[in-house]
Amino acid sequence: MENVFLIVGLGNPGADYAKTRHNAGFLLVEKLAADWKCDWTVEKKFRARVAKADRSGKRALLCQPQTFMNLSGETVGALANFYQLPLARILVVADDADLPVGTVRLRAGGSSGGHHGLESIEQHLTSREFARLKLGIGRRDGLREITDHVLGRFDAAETKTLEKVLERASKQVETWLDAGIENAMQLNGVVDSDNEENKK
């Protein structure tokens, strides 16, 4: 199907996981849906919440898989097959514990970095060559065991930074849609809270 672009925010469904660090992808697509004034519907055949928007002649599908993180690829694979999407029209938004809070990094492909949601998507798409936008959530004291951290909620200082991160990341997604990934990658970096308004 021509001109359909899929933007997937990764996270876990349910109130227990709402606004946790691991749900940064959910938070971004929720912001985009609000900004674009599009409504969420539950699409059971995809096991997902989906919001549809028309932007500059393109149909953008915002998606929150409802499979839980480790099975995200089931939803993404089903949507990609249904809409016959080439990899170049798929963008996945995920948290990244190896990036400091305040960092946004868009890449055209690459490693999952041990992120189980990305691993599942790579498995179902049988490729790593899809765009991924990583939002830094940091890591506590350099520990490798980070389950409690990623499933915890942002503290007050992180929440203030997160607002700026979501602004920058939203602009990256819009630039990806409107002008391509190379232009969107120009917005990679660490959000400067004091100067972020100047980047809009």
Side-chain angles (χ1 to χ4, degrees), residues 44-199:
K44 291 184 179 179
K45 64 183 175 181
F46 300 126
R47 298 174 69 191
R49 292 178 77 225
V50 176
K52 301 176 181 179
D54 290 311
R55 289 185 53 82
S56 305
K58 298 173 181 174
R59 170 60 62 93
L61 302 180
L62 299 171
C63 170
Q64 291 180 327
Q66 300 295 291
T67 56
F68 287 93
M69 182 69 80
N70 294 2
L71 300 176
S72 299
E74 295 180 5
T75 290
V76 177
L79 282 162
N81 287 334
F82 182 82
Y83 287 101
Q84 295 295 293
L85 294 175
L87 295 174
R89 287 202 248 127
I90 298 172
L91 171 61
V92 178
V93 186
D95 61 293
D96 191 326
D98 291 321
L99 296 177
V101 174
T103 306
V104 293
R105 181 178 294 169
L106 176 65
R107 292 284 185 269
S111 167
S112 67
H115 190 289
H116 296 316
L118 289 173
E119 287 174 354
S120 176
I121 294 169
E122 290 172 2
Q123 179 183 357
H124 283 267
L125 295 180
T126 65
S127 177
R128 292 180 169 182
E129 301 307 310
F130 57 88
R132 67 275 313 274
L133 174 54
K134 296 183 177 182
L135 308 180
I137 62 168
R139 183 186 293 275
R140 286 284 184 260
D141 302 320
L143 298 175
R144 295 309 301 175
E145 176 48 54
I146 58 170
T147 301
D148 289 344
H149 176 64
V150 300
L151 294 181
R153 287 176 168 78
F154 294 96
D155 63 29
E158 290 172 335
T159 297
K160 185 175 180 181
T161 301
L162 178 67
E163 292 175 3
K164 302 299 185 182
V165 165
L166 295 179
E167 286 287 346
R168 174 86 70 90
S170 295
K171 186 172 181 180
Q172 278 193 289
V173 173
E174 291 174 347
T175 302
W176 175 75
L177 276 172
D178 298 339
I181 192 164
E182 294 297 332
N183 287 300
M185 285 170 59
Q186 300 303 311
L187 294 169
N188 283 345
V190 179
V191 170
D192 180 346
S193 297
D194 294 330
N195 296 322
E196 194 62 19
E197 293 299 319
N198 297 329
K199 296 185 175 72

